[in-house]
Amino acid sequence: MNRREFLTSASATAAAAGATVAAPAVFSPAKAQARAETLLIVSESGPNNLDIHGVGTNVPGYEASWNCYDRLITHPMKDVNGTPYYDRDKFEGELAEDMSIGDMSVTFKLKKDATFQDGTPVTAKDVKWSLDRAVSVGGFPTFQMKAGSLEKPEQFVVVDDRTVRVDFIRKDRLTIPDLAVIVPCVINSELVKKNATAQDPWGLEYTKQNTVGSGAYKVTKWTPGTEVIFERFENWKGGPLPKIKRVIWRMVPSAGNRRALLERGDADISYDLPNKDFAELKGNSKLNIISTPYSNGVQYIGMNVTKPPFDNPKVRQAVAYALPYDKIMEAVLFGLANPMFGAPADYQTQVKWPQPTKYKTDIAKAKALLADAGYPNGFETTLSFDLGFAGINEPLCVLVQESLGQIGIKTTINKIPGANWRTELNKKELPLFTNVFSGWLDYPEYFFFWCYHGSNSVFNTMSYQSAAMDQFIDGARAAAANGDKAAYDTDVKGMVDLAFADVPRVPLFQPYVNVAMQKNVTGYEYWFHRRLDYRALQKG
């Protein structure tokens, strides 16, 4: 795709969005100011749902929700190695102008001039309805709320039109942070109720395709798999009015095309190029490259422990010893990740996450374990990955396939389209797969609650069950709430050691968020969800 084709396509789709979207002149040299207020993003895949509460909403969908909806509170920024980075331990108002934390509740006073994008005032009733929806709709959003002990509609109390109270059902240090993640967004309840049905009481079909928030941006056009167009909400009260008026987010499947568009200056930002490209582009004086480790995040090989042969711990350990860790770091990641393997024999488990395992590539040991497990000749299985992030996943899986073949495990690679990945993963029928999980709240017990606890969340993709593990996780959460550091440290070390012994998932590496942008684009911030925050970005 050459420059003319790309800009013509982008302009044509913008014009097609209707009167609210400017015509192709935004890209004309004569309209330099308009171009400076338009951000052009290119990525491999886009959202499959605009609503974070939707069924199977994928990771790109998080970006749409984050920028189009407000929460009661958010995090301020701090500097980490020269990059603005969310401050895990501090909070500030977004829709709330005041937050008062009591012993067993927190009360929020809403900004009196905040409105939804259709001009309707934001009220405490909207806040309660939105939080009720989050804890009731089921699936990922409900489990996310539960991670912060936000579980029942009765916890959310309307005090008056501008005041809402959240009652605690237990002491939990994750409760306040959990109100600042993407899920407890505030929705225009009356508008959604008008578009709900008896079969769809929460209006999920309507919000899948329409943004109905009070956030800084609204989606004016969405062509799934092709493009999303965001327009600035001029009356946004959640923070300073963003400098960028329009965001055009285009899906360009070819990594080569995305890189070419960046290097020619036709695109402003891209953040899912292959690591090889990022490594090479770091020497390009025309672009800024920012690489930040995922907070609380690990890419892993997961195994379904409920079905043979992966119900056998020795088989899982054999896989852990057969993986080509160093080859993945060199040939797939080009050094842009932190290894989570090969810890020295005398490594002592620490009170942190992530941290490396002692597994390293040892084919002889892997073969012996597989024979002990009753599979001396190996077996056949499938190895699945998310095609929406093929740049990393595909070469990784090819290397894993080759390495497992050396111990007799014959794998057929199963490429699942990005729009379907979360749905297929949640069925928990995939025997062997690679995935990445990054906990939004940067605490070890939060990661483990999602990924290893017997309550079997959508991200316990291995269906792992262990009473001992549950005891460690529940103990760590209780100890954190009560300030018992000694008990907390013991429980965190216990859950890490057990995870590495039972190895239902094998940590590979802590990925980096790599973002390439033009030199005149500034304001990038790293957030726990790893997606772009358009509100802080600007162009010189």
Side-chain angles (χ1 to χ4, degrees):
M1 183 183 286
N2 62 33
R3 174 184 173 85
R4 177 171 294 180
E5 288 172 340
F6 182 77
L7 296 185
T8 300
S9 174
S11 300
T13 49
T20 56
V21 181
V26 297
F27 296 102
S28 164
K31 300 287 186 179
Q33 180 61 31
R35 182 69 182 99
E37 295 174 335
T38 299
L39 194 72
L40 200 53
I41 302 167
V42 292
S43 72
E44 185 170 4
S45 60
N48 63 355
N49 195 318
L50 301 179
D51 183 3
I52 190 68
H53 295 171
V55 178
T57 301
N58 62 3
V59 173
Y62 299 174
E63 185 168 319
S65 181
W66 180 256
N67 287 286
C68 294
Y69 291 88
D70 289 325
R71 279 98 352 225
L72 289 165
I73 54 174
T74 189
H75 297 277
M77 288 285 125
K78 62 181 180 181
D79 182 273
V80 176
N81 299 321
T83 298
Y85 193 104
Y86 77 100
D87 192 330
R88 182 194 80 170
D89 300 315
K90 293 183 180 179
F91 306 93
E92 62 186 20
E94 196 162 83
L95 271 176
E97 67 178 16
D98 180 70
M99 175 175 72
S100 176
I101 303 176
D103 186 46
M104 288 301 291
S105 69
V106 57
T107 301
F108 299 95
K109 180 71 73 173
L110 301 180
K111 294 176 179 176
K112 59 179 178 293
D113 53 354
T115 69
F116 291 109
Q117 290 159 356
D118 67 352
T120 307
V122 178
T123 70
K125 288 181 180 178
D126 294 299
V127 175
K128 174 174 170 53
W129 187 88
S130 302
L131 298 178
D132 287 355
R133 186 188 201 238
V135 300
S136 303
V137 75
F140 161 64
T142 296
F143 202 90
Q144 173 64 50
M145 298 293 281
K146 183 180 178 182
S149 294
L150 300 165
E151 302 176 15
K152 304 173 182 177
E154 299 79 46
Q155 290 179 257
F156 314 120
V157 181
V158 173
V159 177
D160 59 41
D161 280 354
R162 288 185 49 230
T163 311
V164 64
R165 188 180 75 243
V166 177
D167 293 332
F168 306 153
I169 57 176
R170 65 182 68 89
K171 289 185 181 295
D172 187 340
R173 76 164 170 178
L174 301 182
T175 298
I176 300 300
D178 205 28
L179 289 168
V181 302
I182 308 177
V183 168
C185 59
V186 179
I187 297 165
N188 187 334
S189 62
E190 293 303 317
L191 178 57
V192 175
K193 283 190 276 190
K194 287 176 185 175
N195 290 277
T197 65
Q199 293 74 35
D200 180 21
W202 294 112
L204 294 172
E205 283 303 311
Y206 182 71
T207 53
K208 178 177 183 176
Q209 302 180 63
N210 298 277
T211 51
V212 289
S214 58
Y217 289 89
K218 53 189 174 182
V219 172
T220 54
K221 187 173 188 294
W222 174 37
T223 306
T226 302
E227 182 179 71
V228 191
I229 298 177
F230 300 83
E231 295 285 337
R232 187 173 69 190
F233 174 40
E234 299 297 329
N235 199 33
W236 185 52
K237 302 301 181 185
L241 193 66
K243 301 293 186 184
I244 299 295
K245 281 189 174 181
R246 177 182 300 104
V247 177
I248 299 175
W249 178 10
R250 291 184 59 78
M251 285 77 250
V252 179
S254 164
N257 285 349
R258 294 197 301 277
R259 176 171 174 170
L261 290 164
L262 274 171
E263 291 189 294
R264 290 201 302 264
D266 295 341
D268 295 311
I269 300 180
S270 188
Y271 50 85
D272 57 1
L273 294 171
N275 279 31
K276 180 177 186 290
D277 289 311
F278 279 116
E280 292 171 355
L281 289 172
K282 281 182 179 287
N284 186 330
S285 61
K286 297 180 182 178
L287 298 168
N288 281 331
I289 309 295
I290 299 175
S291 297
T292 311
Y294 281 24
S295 58
N296 210 11
V298 175
Q299 176 119 9
Y300 63 94
I301 295 291
M303 292 161 277
N304 188 324
V305 303
T306 66
K307 299 174 183 177
F310 298 114
D311 59 339
N312 188 322
K314 288 185 178 179
V315 170
R316 303 196 296 267
Q317 291 167 5
V319 169
Y321 279 112
L323 294 175
Y325 300 102
D326 290 322
K327 287 182 180 178
I328 290 170
M329 288 296 297
E330 294 163 11
V332 179
L333 302 168
F334 293 84
L336 294 175
N338 293 329
M340 288 294 125
F341 58 87
D346 60 353
Y347 178 81
Q348 298 295 311
T349 304
Q350 299 180 37
V351 185
K352 70 173 188 176
W353 188 259
Q355 58 184 298
T357 73
K358 294 179 182 178
Y359 293 105
K360 56 186 177 181
T361 309
D362 187 333
I363 297 300
K365 193 165 189 174
K367 283 181 176 178
L369 281 163
L370 208 55
D372 285 350
Y375 297 94
N377 301 315
F379 53 84
E380 294 187 12
T381 188
T382 58
L383 173 59
S384 303
F385 74 84
D386 179 356
L387 201 53
F389 298 94
I392 295 291
N393 289 337
E394 188 155 21
L396 185 156
C397 285
V398 168
L399 289 175
V400 170
Q401 180 186 50
E402 177 186 278
S403 199
L404 292 181
Q406 296 179 50
I407 64 170
I409 299 178
K410 300 178 180 66
T411 58
T412 300
I413 293 179
N414 179 29
K415 306 176 184 182
I416 299 177
N420 303 336
W421 172 250
R422 183 64 59 78
T423 300
E424 291 302 309
L425 195 64
N426 289 351
K427 291 177 181 176
K428 303 193 179 185
E429 294 174 354
L430 302 176
L432 181 69
F433 52 90
T434 189
N435 191 43
V436 64
F437 179 82
S438 175
W440 285 352
L441 306 183
D442 194 3
Y443 304 90
E445 68 273 22
Y446 176 83
F447 186 103
F448 275 75
F449 177 72
W450 271 109
C451 297
Y452 290 91
H453 197 281
S455 52
N456 209 20
S457 87
V458 293
F459 295 117
N460 181 351
T461 47
M462 318 79 56
S463 293
Y464 174 72
Q465 303 277 333
S466 164
M469 179 64 83
D470 292 354
Q471 191 170 350
F472 284 131
I473 297 168
D474 295 340
R477 293 187 66 182
N482 296 318
D484 187 341
K485 186 179 185 303
Y488 179 79
D489 290 0
T490 298
D491 285 327
V492 170
K493 290 179 181 178
M495 65 194 191
V496 172
D497 286 341
L498 184 56
F500 292 171
D502 283 357
V503 71
R505 59 169 72 188
V506 188
L508 298 174
F509 54 87
Q510 180 183 23
Y512 289 173
V513 176
N514 298 302
V515 181
M517 61 191 82
Q518 300 298 333
K519 289 282 189 181
N520 67 336
V521 177
T522 58
Y524 171 78
E525 298 175 342
Y526 177 84
W527 282 93
F528 55 85
H529 47 69
R530 316 188 310 271
R531 308 303 296 186
L532 294 177
D533 189 328
Y534 309 152
R535 301 172 299 183
L537 294 169
Q538 53 185 301
K539 293 172 68 176

